[in-house]
Amino acid sequence: MKKIVMLLFSFLVLLGCTKKKNIVPVEMETWLEQEAEKQIMGCRVTGFDSTTLYTPDGEGNYKGMWTRDFGYMVENAFHLIPNGDVKNAIVYLLNGRRADGCIPDRVRADGLAIYSAGPVDNPLGDPPSDNTQFMVKLVAEYVKNTQDIEFFKSCSKKLDAAMDYVPRSVDGLVYIDPRFPHSPYGFTDTIQKTGELLFSSLLYWEACWELTALYKQTGDKQMVSEYGKRAKTIEKSLEKLWDKDSGMFYAATIDCRQIDIWGNAYAVYIGFPLGDKKSRIVDFLYNNREKYIMNGQIRHLTEPETWKKTLIPVKPGTYQNGAYWGTASGWIAFALLEKYPEQSSKILTDLISDYQQRGPYECINVDYVKINNYVASAVNPLGVIKKIKNKNSSF
């Protein structure tokens, strides 16, 4: 009996160690946490009304607070930002909302709300198709971390109007009319994707479920039902973007109908219901890893492909048209985790090693780097590492 007890104890200890195995060495995670805090502290500027704004980088290249970039900071590193700063910054962005419900792409320190990507005097068409979703996710993250449901109640109607503003097809997917191209998801805001969109639709799906959860807390059954229906419609309609031959989703249905590495990994990361598609996506990501990973950082497309259409000229191999980004590294690592854990770990350790040597750039390539001290490059993988740890400890 004693032997059985000891064997059982040993098994449980071994099982516990296996489950709690770190995706990266503890010292690397600690370094990344400190680096993320450094970047968050370094990107702050003061707005005209004394609100602390969190800009995308610590180099002063992005002069304002971008909705999506601040969204990534709050989603992945809420614990590194004072609660009051988060709330005040959300209000600052919401105050820039347009009468038609449009959420600003960014708001400058002087209070000017800017709705479209690109220069103020030469915008890239209509507003990007993702700012609403990031605004919803910002509010949801704040409420989750503070339990301040009253804050949601105070801005819920603004969020509803913003969700209605986002253009969607008859099948419920986020849509850009090819006759009037403009920026899609902001980390590809120079790329001319048109038709029904993968990444922005995934973000819309997320926002719908976030609003469903928030409205459940307020007891508004009608809005719970409404957003649940919108989410379910996306789950049925995303099939339109599926490429059976590759086992991956396209980025869009018309212009730039190309395999979207980021979008597919993100679908796995957020738990979008993929069914049998999930294993095909994971296998594609693993089997083609040499074509889109450099130093743990991720290309939007597999080499040597570049986007078929851009809104402005973007040299192949640079920026959003072929460079490698740390923003998406964690999503790839998470997608590969269950089936290919060694590769998952390698992506993150290679990434952190690269950051330790030269800093978290916005994007890189051979003999090419763009903007050091880029906040999303640090906070996004940190958030994934913490999510993986929580997932392992919850078994």
Side-chain angles (χ1 to χ4, degrees):
M1 182 65 179
K2 187 176 180 180
K3 287 184 177 180
I4 294 174
V5 172
M6 290 299 293
L7 285 171
L8 180 60
F9 176 79
S10 298
F11 173 76
L12 290 173
V13 170
L14 178 61
L15 186 62
C17 291
T18 301
K19 288 175 180 175
K20 295 181 180 180
K21 182 179 179 181
N22 294 317
I23 187 69
V24 297
V26 173
E27 61 273 17
M28 276 193 154
E29 180 185 349
T30 300
W31 183 90
L32 185 60
E33 173 109 11
Q34 293 170 346
E35 183 67 15
E37 184 173 20
K38 171 188 168 184
Q39 297 306 326
I40 287 172
M41 294 293 290
C43 77
R44 298 177 304 170
V45 299
T46 302
F48 75 99
D49 61 355
S50 298
T51 299
T52 299
L53 311 183
Y54 290 80
T55 67
D57 73 292
E59 302 285 308
N61 291 278
Y62 291 93
K63 304 182 187 303
M65 182 165 61
W66 265 251
T67 302
R68 76 185 61 83
D69 288 82
F70 185 57
Y72 280 143
M73 293 181 215
V74 169
E75 178 181 353
N76 294 293
F78 190 97
H79 63 295
L80 298 178
I81 309 173
N83 290 359
D85 279 9
V86 175
K87 183 176 183 178
N88 292 338
I90 291 173
V91 171
Y92 192 88
L93 290 168
L94 274 175
N95 284 344
R97 185 184 68 97
R98 217 163 57 185
D100 60 0
C102 179
I103 297 294
D105 187 56
R106 66 224 189 245
V107 182
R108 293 192 325 205
D110 63 4
L112 178 66
I114 302 167
Y115 302 96
S116 296
V120 177
D121 58 353
N122 190 26
L124 300 180
D126 288 339
S129 60
D130 65 345
N131 288 310
T132 287
Q133 298 92 306
F134 280 103
M135 191 78 258
V136 170
K137 283 161 54 101
L138 269 167
V139 173
E141 285 295 330
Y142 174 76
V143 174
K144 286 175 194 175
N145 283 277
T146 64
Q147 308 307 309
D148 185 5
I149 191 63
E150 294 303 317
F151 180 66
F152 169 66
K153 290 179 181 179
S154 72
C155 61
S156 61
K157 298 309 175 187
K158 293 179 180 179
L159 297 180
D160 293 337
M163 289 291 281
D164 289 341
Y165 171 82
V166 178
R168 290 173 292 140
S169 70
V170 293
D171 291 316
L173 299 175
V174 178
Y175 179 83
I176 292 179
D177 190 329
R179 297 173 300 171
F180 308 103
H182 59 84
S183 296
Y185 164 56
F187 276 72
T188 54
D189 60 11
T190 63
I191 309 305
Q192 189 175 314
K193 304 175 194 173
T194 67
E196 290 157 310
L197 309 176
L198 174 63
F199 211 108
S200 295
S201 295
L202 291 171
L203 291 169
Y204 199 91
W205 177 85
E206 275 191 289
C208 285
W209 284 124
E210 294 287 14
L211 287 166
T212 297
L214 289 165
Y215 272 118
K216 280 182 180 178
Q217 293 184 57
T218 71
D220 192 331
K221 295 181 180 178
Q222 181 179 348
M223 297 310 294
V224 169
S225 175
E226 172 61 25
Y227 286 116
K229 287 178 182 176
R230 294 189 193 186
K232 291 291 184 182
T233 299
I234 291 173
E235 291 172 17
K236 294 177 182 177
S237 301
L238 207 70
E239 180 75 26
K240 297 180 71 174
L241 287 151
W242 183 248
D243 175 39
K244 293 179 180 179
D245 293 335
S246 67
M248 293 280 277
F249 288 105
Y250 290 122
T253 55
I254 302 179
D255 292 321
C256 294
R257 186 178 170 87
Q258 298 167 264
I259 299 303
D260 184 345
I261 296 298
W262 286 32
N264 281 272
Y266 193 69
V268 176
Y269 176 67
I270 63 176
F272 188 87
L274 296 165
D276 295 339
K277 292 181 175 66
K278 180 179 176 180
S279 63
R280 294 201 64 191
I281 291 171
V282 170
D283 285 344
F284 182 99
L285 292 174
Y286 178 77
N287 293 331
N288 291 275
R289 62 193 183 280
E290 301 297 331
K291 298 179 181 179
Y292 68 84
I293 301 175
M294 176 183 287
N295 297 351
Q297 289 153 84
I298 310 301
R299 210 172 183 269
H300 291 94
L301 306 169
T302 55
E303 280 276 12
E305 193 174 14
T306 55
W307 292 106
K308 293 178 180 177
K309 286 190 177 182
T310 59
L311 295 166
I312 57 174
V314 184
K315 183 180 177 181
T318 70
Y319 196 42
Q320 297 168 353
N321 199 24
Y324 298 77
W325 299 61
T327 301
S329 300
W331 305 334
I332 299 289
F334 188 92
L336 297 176
L337 181 64
E338 290 183 9
K339 197 168 184 180
Y340 305 105
E342 291 185 2
Q343 183 61 41
S344 178
S345 179
K346 177 175 168 48
I347 289 170
L348 292 171
T349 54
D350 286 353
L351 175 80
I352 296 171
S353 293
D354 191 61
Y355 287 177
Q356 289 174 325
Q357 292 175 35
R358 56 179 174 176
Y361 279 87
E362 182 178 29
C363 54
I364 65 167
N365 207 333
V366 177
D367 299 323
Y368 169 84
V369 292
K370 179 175 171 62
I371 303 179
N372 203 350
N373 295 310
Y374 194 72
V375 186
S377 295
V379 300
N380 277 25
L382 177 66
V384 174
I385 290 169
K386 291 187 177 298
K387 182 173 180 176
I388 290 172
K389 286 180 70 175
N390 291 335
K391 179 181 179 182
N392 287 344
S393 65
S394 65
F395 288 141

